Amino acid sequence: MSNRARVLVSRRTQAGLVRLLQAMMVALLGIGLYVGDASIMTNATIGLLVTQLPAILERRYEITMNVGLVLWITLAMSLHALGTVPLPGLDFESLYGATWWWDHMTHALSSSLVVGSAYAITRALQEHTEHLHMGPRFTLVYLLIFVMAFGVFWELIEFYVAIGAQVLGIPRVLTQYGLDDTVLDLIYNSIGGLLVAIFGTTYLTGVSDQIRDRLEAGSANR
């Protein structure tokens, strides 16, 4: 089999996995509707909406993502949605409640998406304007600070959503497991962000270049 054929099969496989994971989230949404669980419904719906963003960006802004990036986004959202579902093999507890590392894994994946987005946009802005320049080391520090700040912001959202649900007497759609868990979440956020900042930026160059082209086209039309 030629290298070209192997790449083609790989892309087809990745596209198939994307569709499979999206179908799983549709099934999770159905389960949430059937059992009346607001957390499952909310997380499955948000996951499905986020996985539609690559298609929306392509249709409206002609920004095309590699299928591997789409799989990365879909995997992160589907694992998060799956973690909210009570499973029979876990005595009908969710993966978040029964598996100590599930929450940390999904935080690392989610933070990697945040860092990837921040890098693609920042690189595009640097190439679009001469007034912004950050060297590789500064970019690494910037991305880590960005993901840590976003992580703190998300933990605050989880906290206030949990408090609001308790006050209003409605089911929680986000759950906090205590201060120790919050600290660990922030650590895993940083790990996910660091891995993307060091190893993943190469895969985001194409998206960044397309964003730059859109910025330049917008400037030319003014």
Side-chain angles (χ1 to χ4, degrees):
M1 183 182 293
S2 66
N3 289 334
R4 182 176 179 181
R6 280 196 293 268
V7 170
L8 183 61
V9 170
S10 176
R11 287 176 179 171
R12 286 177 176 172
T13 301
Q14 291 177 55
L17 287 172
V18 168
R19 289 191 290 271
L20 179 63
L21 291 171
Q22 288 175 329
M24 182 186 76
M25 282 189 282
V26 171
L28 295 179
L29 176 58
I31 292 172
L33 289 169
Y34 180 76
V35 301
D37 191 309
S39 177
I40 298 174
M41 288 187 286
T42 301
N43 287 287
T45 300
I46 292 174
L48 284 169
L49 290 175
V50 171
T51 61
Q52 297 306 308
L53 288 178
I56 294 172
L57 289 173
E58 184 173 3
R59 285 197 302 268
R60 296 196 60 180
Y61 304 104
E62 298 180 356
I63 296 175
T64 304
M65 289 189 185
N66 182 284
V67 66
L69 294 179
V70 178
L71 178 59
W72 174 22
I73 295 169
T74 308
L75 180 64
M77 302 312 299
S78 61
L79 290 179
H80 173 62
L82 178 63
T84 64
V85 181
L87 299 174
L90 300 174
D91 294 327
F92 289 96
E93 280 195 67
S94 69
L95 285 163
Y96 277 120
T99 310
W100 67 268
W101 49 264
W102 193 267
D103 185 43
H104 306 316
M105 176 188 67
T106 54
H107 268 271
L109 281 171
S110 299
S111 67
S112 71
L113 296 182
V114 172
V115 170
S117 302
Y119 171 79
I121 294 171
T122 302
R123 184 177 181 274
L125 289 172
Q126 285 190 84
E127 295 190 357
H128 173 64
T129 176
E130 60 183 17
H131 302 296
L132 178 64
H133 176 73
M134 296 188 295
R137 291 183 180 178
F138 187 86
T139 299
L140 176 62
V141 173
Y142 157 75
L143 292 175
L144 285 177
I145 292 174
F146 184 89
V147 75
M148 289 176 67
F150 187 88
V152 171
F153 176 69
W154 181 257
E155 293 297 326
L156 288 172
I157 290 176
E158 286 188 342
F159 174 76
Y160 285 114
V161 166
I163 293 295
Q166 184 177 358
V167 170
L168 297 174
I170 60 177
R172 297 182 180 184
V173 296
L174 295 173
T175 303
Q176 275 238 337
Y177 295 98
L179 181 60
D180 291 343
D181 182 75
T182 297
V183 173
L184 284 174
D185 285 344
L186 294 174
I187 291 173
Y188 280 91
N189 286 344
S190 301
I191 292 172
L194 182 63
L195 290 174
V196 173
I198 294 175
F199 302 109
T201 51
T202 302
Y203 301 99
L204 297 162
T205 301
V207 175
S208 184
D209 289 344
Q210 292 178 74
I211 296 173
R212 177 204 60 203
D213 293 342
R214 291 291 301 178
L215 291 172
E216 292 178 351
S219 298
N221 293 330
R222 289 178 182 175

